[in-house]
Amino acid sequence: MAHDNALFRAAFAGGAMGMSVLDAHSQIVEANPALTAALGYSIDELEGQKLAAITHPDDVGRDSRVMDRLSRGVAQHIHTQRRLLRADGEVIWTRTTFSRVEGEPVRIIAQIEDLTETRRAQDLLEHRALHDNLTGLPNRVLLLDRLTVALESAHQHAACIFLDIDDFTLINDSLGHEAGDQLIMEVASRIESVSRPGDTVARLGGDEFVVIAPGVEDSESAIDYATQLQEAVNRPIPIDGHDISPTASAGISLTSRGDSAQGLLRDADVAMSSAKRTGRNRCEVFSEHMGHDAKMRLSVESELRAALREGQLEVHFQPVVNLITEEIRAFEALVRWRHPNRGLLLPDEFMGICEHANLVPQLGEIVLRDACRFLAERPHFDGRVLVNISTQQIGGAGLVEAVQEALAVTGVAPTQLALEITETGMLLPTTSTRAELAALDELGVDLLLDDFGTGYSALSSVLSSPVTGMKLAREFTCRLGDDSTGDRISTAISSLVNSLSMVGIIEGVETATQRDRAITHGWELGQGFLFGHPLPSSEISYGRVPAAS
Ligand code: C2E
Ligand code: MG
Ligand code: MG
C-alpha cells in the first residue's frame, strides 16, 4: 500500500497529464503541476476551489451527476469529454477520467488530457471538407448529403437545377484569375439572393452551381425558377473597368421514385450540357432520351452488363508499404475493365455508369472474390488486401453475405481482408448501414475510410462506427511541401490517426520528397507510384516491390 502510494505520488507530481484529487463535494483537494500549467493558475489558487469554478458552465450539470455516481459507488471510473476554463478565459477541451479511490473519506482522482488541438483540427477539416473555399457555399459532398435527405423525405418532391456560366474560361483567360474569382463570387451571391429559404445553393467547383429546390414538383415551375436564376446572373457586373454580362446555361432534373442523389445530379448535368450545345443562356429539363450523352450511357450500360457476365472485369493490386523500410504490408485491389475494343478502362470511366445502373453489388462480388483468391495464392503473405466498397453496397445490398462467401470459398482469414469506404458512405449512417458495419467488424474484417479529408462530414458518427483506419486523399499528398494546406492537413490527420491508435495510409506518394515529408508528419504506411503501380495478380511475385514503370 505504501508502495502504491509512492507510485501514485510520483505520477502525480511528475506526470505530463493534468491531475487533481477531489472530495465528495467536488472541491479540489490537490492539483498537480501539469494541471496548474495547463490552466494558468497557481497551486494555491486551485486548491480549495470547487471544480465548477474552472469548468465551462454548460458542463457543470453533468459533473454533479458524475460525482454523485462515483460517491455512491455506482461506478468506479467515468470518462467524459468536458471543457475547462483557463485563467485567461480561454476554453480548453479535455478528456477527463474520474476515478473513485477505495476507502474513506471519499476521494476522486481526475485525470485530465488536453484535446484542444485535436478538436481544432477536426473543426478545420470539417468546414474545409464541406464548403467551397472561394464562395463559402456548400460543396459537392454537402450538396449530395442534402440531396439524399431531400430524396429520403418521402412526400416531398424537389427540383435540381444545374447552372454553368457560359464562356467562363474566356473571361478567366482574358481578364485573369482574380477577375474570374470576382465573377464567381458575385454570381454566387446573386444566386443566393434569388433562392428561397430552405433551398440549398452549392458550388461544384469551377463555374458550376447547383440549386436544390424542395417542393418544386413540375417542369413548369422548375423552368420558371431557373429562368429567375439566369436573369439574376445576367445583370451586368463591373469587373476591372469592364461591364460583363454573364449568361448561364441551366439543366433541370426532377425527383421521381428510386432516384439516387448522384443520379439526379448527373441528369441535371446532362440536361445542362444539352442546353449548352443548342445555344447559350438556355434551359432544358432532363428527359431519358436526351441527346448523345444519355444514349452513350445506355449503350455502355448494356456493354457493362455483358462484361460482368463474360468476365471482362479484372482486379489489379497496388502495394501499400512501410514508408521507411519499403516492406510490403498490404495490397489495394483496384478494378479494371478489359474492354474488347477500347482496351483497359480505369474505374473513373465506368464506375459512374455502374452505379447508375445499380450494378455495383455484382461488380463488388467479383472484386471480393478475386481479392481473396489473390491472398489464397500467397499463403506466406501475412499482410492484408484492401477492397474498395461503394456507398451502394452498404446497407441492404448483401455485402456481409458477399464477404462471407468470398472468404469461405477461398479459405482466407477475415483478418486478412479490409474494406475501404469513402467518407460519403458514412455521411448518413442509417440503422441498416450501422448494423452491416458492425457485422463486418464482428467477422474481424477491418474498415478503412478512403480518401479521408475530401468528404468528411460528421467525425463523431465516423468515430462511433467500427472504423479502424484512414487513408489520406491524394489531393493532399500532391501538395505536401507547400508549407500550407497540404502540410497542415497531412499533419492534422496523421496526429488524429495516431492519437486514436488507428491505421493510417497516405495515398498517391509519387516522389521521394513527398515520402520524406510524410515520414516527418508521422505517417507509417504509404501507397503510390513511387512504390509500385497497380498490376495484375500474375505480375506480382510475393514479397517483391514491383518496379515502377
Ligand atoms: P482509390 O480507392 O482512392 O484508389 C487509389 C487510386 O489512385 C487508384 O486509381 C490508383 O491507381 C491511383 N494511384 C495510386 N497511386 C497513385 C499515385 O502515386 N499517383 C496517382 N496519380 N495516382 C495513384 P484507380 O485504380 O483509377 O481507381 C480510382 C478509384 O476508383 C479508386 O480510388 C476507388 O475509389 C474506385 N475503385 C477502384 N476499384 C474499385 C472497386 O473494386 N470497387 C469500387 N466500388 N470502387 C473502386
Ligand atoms: Mg481505395
Ligand atoms: Mg483513396
Side-chain angles (χ1 to χ4, degrees), residues 176-196:
H177 289 287
E178 239 167 77
D181 284 356
Q182 231 177 305
L183 181 79
I184 293 291
M185 286 191 284
E186 178 60 27
V187 168
S189 85
R190 288 178 181 192
I191 293 179
E192 270 202 294
S193 69
V194 175
S195 70
R196 315 161 317 155

Side-chain angles (χ1 to χ4, degrees), residues 332 388 420 450-452 471-474 507 527:
E332 178 172 8
N388 292 283
E420 293 189 7
D450 204 356
D451 300 330
F452 191 68
K471 298 182 80 174
L472 180 70
R474 188 167 72 232
E507 286 191 70
Q527 179 183 355

